[in-house]
């Protein structure tokens, strides 16, 4: 950021205004090579080239679905790849970003976790991912709901998001950035202390420990009671809402009893909202099926009657393999 550049500039005998030119080149002109930063002195460009190479995420594949959702497969320097998804809507252009190659959390219904975690992304790789999306249009919102668990890569994720949020960087408003966690309690506690207005989503997906531990191994470490107390602490400390994500799986967590129990659980957290999402089918679990519309509406109805603020979400980009880790899987060698 500007301040980080200042000592570097002064060491090279350059004036502080050069920091603005650097940021302008990187985040407004989208250069991917210092040679393109023509406002900078030539010998300084050479220094930048050797000492501060720009991290690139190369677009290896794009798939576009009928609803306009585009999914990019991005290649990293070490040969790994991650996905980012661009989702257009009226007045919005949302980017879904990944924080890890694969995921170590092992949620039963999730394609990203089906092969384990390969490694976490560095902050510069996460920013490069954002820039790859930014080249396709003005991003209005970021959701950290791609591959990986952001709170299993807390420092690098926060560093990248702060950079994207920074006034003289891309300047994307903190309230337009949503971090989604599967329920890593220490991460929620740390975020509460950051003093930054990122939005928080918590993936719940089950209203009791018996079911949640089966679907989400993370629940064995931080069960629902602990998670809900932490979430209540978060809303008290930050005065910000939490959105609970609930993926509805046919015959698994879609009963009226589950909906009643869910209402009781989320009401322990003041300022809680619920997003209901129908499951996107994943190839490694053919036994998990999408619920029908009637079930979704019944679930919604029970929550509303229990005074829980609830939204029905549609999954986007299904025909582009855009749901949840599927594009990368298609590109991995089949076992
Ligand atoms: N690790 C983070 C963010 C990545 S997943 C988290 O767990 O929140 C983003 C969201 O997609 C999570 O709510 C996740 O549970 C959900 N998800 C994963 N696989 C899904 C599937 N097959 N259908 C619907 N939602 C899914």
């Amino acid at each position: 950021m500007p301040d980080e550049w200042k000592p570097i500039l002064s060491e090279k005998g350059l004036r502080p205004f050069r920091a603005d030119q650097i940021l302008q080149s990187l985040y407004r002109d989208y250069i991917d090579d210092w040679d393109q930063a023509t406002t900078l002195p030539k010998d300084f460009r050479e220094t930048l080239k050797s000492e501060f190479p720009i991290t690139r995420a190369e677009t290896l594949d794009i798939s576009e679905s009928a609803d306009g959702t585009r999914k990019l497969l991005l290649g990293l320097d070490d040969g790994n790849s991650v996905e980012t998804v661009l989702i257009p809507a009226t007045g919005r252009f949302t980017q879904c970003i990944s924080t890890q190659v694969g995921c170590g959390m092992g949620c039963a219904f999730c394609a990203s976790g089906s092969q384990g975690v390969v490694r976490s992304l560095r902050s510069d790789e996460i920013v490069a991912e954002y820039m790859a999306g930014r080249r396709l249009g003005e991003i209005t919102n970021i959701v950290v709901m791609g591959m990986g668990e952001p709170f299993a890569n807390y420092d690098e994720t926060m560093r990248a998001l702060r950079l994207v949020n920074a006034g003289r960087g891309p300047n994307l408003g903190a309230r337009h950035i949503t971090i989604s966690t599967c329920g890593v309690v220490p991460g929620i506690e740390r975020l509460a202390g950051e003093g930054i207005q990122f939005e928080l989503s918590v993936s719940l997906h089950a209203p009791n420990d018996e079911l949640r531990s089966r679907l989400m191994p993370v629940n064995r470490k931080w069960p629902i009671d602990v998670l809900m107390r932490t979430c209540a602490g978060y809303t008290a400390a930050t005065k910000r809402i939490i959105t609970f994500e609930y993926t509805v799986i046919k015959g698994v967590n879609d009963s009226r009893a589950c909906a009643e129990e869910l209402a009781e659980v989320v009401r322990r957290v003041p300022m809680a909202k619920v997003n209901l999402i129908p499951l996107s089918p994943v190839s490694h679990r053919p036994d998990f099926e999408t619920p029908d519309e009637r079930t979704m509406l019944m679930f919604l109805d029970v929550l509303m009657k229990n005074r829980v603020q609830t939204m029905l979400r549609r999954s986007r980009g299904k025909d582009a393999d855009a749901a949840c880790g599927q594009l990368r899987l298609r590109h991995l060698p089949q076992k």
Side-chain angles (χ1 to χ4, degrees), residues 257-333:
C258 278
E260 303 274 1
E261 204 176 359
L262 177 65
E264 188 274 314
V265 167
V266 297
R267 275 170 43 202
R268 291 186 219 162
V269 178
M271 308 203 284
K273 284 201 212 169
V274 170
N275 274 344
L276 292 179
I277 313 123
L279 174 91
S280 294
V282 284
S283 56
H284 72 290
R285 286 301 295 256
D287 54 323
F288 283 169
E289 294 173 36
T290 309
D292 57 30
E293 186 78 15
R294 262 186 45 221
T295 308
M296 295 300 291
L297 293 174
M298 177 278 291
F299 222 86
L300 173 71
D301 188 54
V302 172
L303 289 169
M304 303 276 263
K305 286 202 171 112
N306 281 282
R307 300 185 310 282
V308 176
Q309 211 183 321
T310 309
M311 294 268 282
L312 254 187
R313 297 280 178 186
R314 321 247 145 227
S315 50
R316 301 276 310 266
K318 273 189 213 150
D319 52 330
D321 282 331
C324 315
Q326 293 162 3
L327 186 66
R328 176 172 164 270
L329 280 189
R330 200 176 70 198
H331 284 254
L332 287 179

Side-chain angles (χ1 to χ4, degrees), residues 111-149:
S112 303
S114 65
Q115 313 259 331
V117 63
V118 178
R119 70 172 174 89
S120 287
L121 298 186
R122 299 185 314 270
S123 59
D124 56 299
E125 291 173 318
I126 299 172
V127 173
E129 200 185 328
Y130 164 77
M131 294 307 293
R134 179 67 190 81
R135 289 189 180 96
L136 301 181
E138 180 91 51
I139 307 288
T140 62
N141 296 74
I142 284 182
V143 292
V144 185
M145 296 187 183
M147 292 161 55
E149 166 50 45

Side-chain angles (χ1 to χ4, degrees), residues 109-110 145-146 148-149 180-182 203 205 245 247 279-280 282 324:
F109 46 80
C110 179
M145 296 187 183
E149 166 50 45
S180 182
T181 178
C182 64
S203 301
H205 306 323
E245 307 286 337
T247 293
L279 174 91
S280 294
V282 284
C324 315

Side-chain angles (χ1 to χ4, degrees), residues 37-303:
T38 46
T39 50
L40 300 173
K42 188 154 191 326
D43 50 343
F44 184 51
R45 292 202 309 251
E46 294 303 321
T47 309
L48 289 168
K49 264 167 47 181
S50 60
E51 291 180 31
F52 303 96
I54 299 174
T55 304
R56 281 185 46 103
E58 195 196 341
T59 303
L60 303 175
D61 190 11
I62 299 188
S63 53
E64 181 158 356
S65 77
D67 66 13
T69 300
R70 266 175 294 177
K71 182 156 193 160
L72 274 54
L73 185 74
L74 301 174
L76 306 170
D77 284 347
D78 65 354
N80 278 304
S81 58
V82 288
E83 299 169 354
T84 187
V85 182
L86 295 146
I87 310 156
T90 321
R92 279 189 181 215
F93 191 46
T94 303
Q95 184 177 17
C96 176
I97 64 167
S98 298
T99 54
Q100 297 183 304
V101 180
C103 184
M105 307 314 290
C107 299
F109 46 80
C110 179
S112 303
S114 65
Q115 313 259 331
V117 63
V118 178
R119 70 172 174 89
S120 287
L121 298 186
R122 299 185 314 270
S123 59
D124 56 299
E125 291 173 318
I126 299 172
V127 173
E129 200 185 328
Y130 164 77
M131 294 307 293
R134 179 67 190 81
R135 289 189 180 96
L136 301 181
E138 180 91 51
I139 307 288
T140 62
N141 296 74
I142 284 182
V143 292
V144 185
M145 296 187 183
M147 292 161 55
E149 166 50 45
F151 289 164
N153 184 21
Y154 188 95
D155 291 330
E156 295 295 300
T157 298
M158 288 304 288
R159 184 155 191 234
L161 295 179
R162 279 186 183 279
L163 200 142
V164 170
N165 169 240
R168 287 202 279 177
N171 197 20
L172 183 67
R175 290 173 183 217
H176 294 233
I177 298 176
T178 302
I179 305 175
S180 182
T181 178
C182 64
V184 175
V185 157
I188 300 172
E189 288 168 344
R190 279 182 78 182
L191 185 65
E194 294 278 355
I196 190 154
Q197 299 194 315
F198 294 148
E199 300 288 336
L200 178 62
S201 276
V202 173
S203 301
L204 199 54
H205 306 323
N208 58 63
D209 285 329
E210 194 270 317
L211 183 56
R212 193 164 189 268
S213 292
R214 263 199 290 138
L215 295 175
M216 305 176 72
V218 67
N219 194 67
R220 295 179 202 142
K221 192 153 186 187
W222 295 292
I224 290 179
D225 254 356
V226 176
L227 177 59
M228 289 302 160
R229 258 187 281 125
T230 308
C231 289
Y234 173 92
T235 59
T238 61
K239 309 277 179 282
R240 303 195 58 76
I241 60 159
I242 290 184
T243 304
F244 291 99
E245 307 286 337
Y246 195 97
T247 293
V248 186
I249 312 172
K250 186 175 178 178
V252 174
N253 64 355
D254 65 346
S255 66
R256 181 171 289 273
C258 278
E260 303 274 1
E261 204 176 359
L262 177 65
E264 188 274 314
V265 167
V266 297
R267 275 170 43 202
R268 291 186 219 162
V269 178
M271 308 203 284
K273 284 201 212 169
V274 170
N275 274 344
L276 292 179
I277 313 123
L279 174 91
S280 294
V282 284
S283 56
H284 72 290
R285 286 301 295 256
D287 54 323
F288 283 169
E289 294 173 36
T290 309
D292 57 30
E293 186 78 15
R294 262 186 45 221
T295 308
M296 295 300 291
L297 293 174
M298 177 278 291
F299 222 86
L300 173 71
D301 188 54
V302 172
L303 289 169

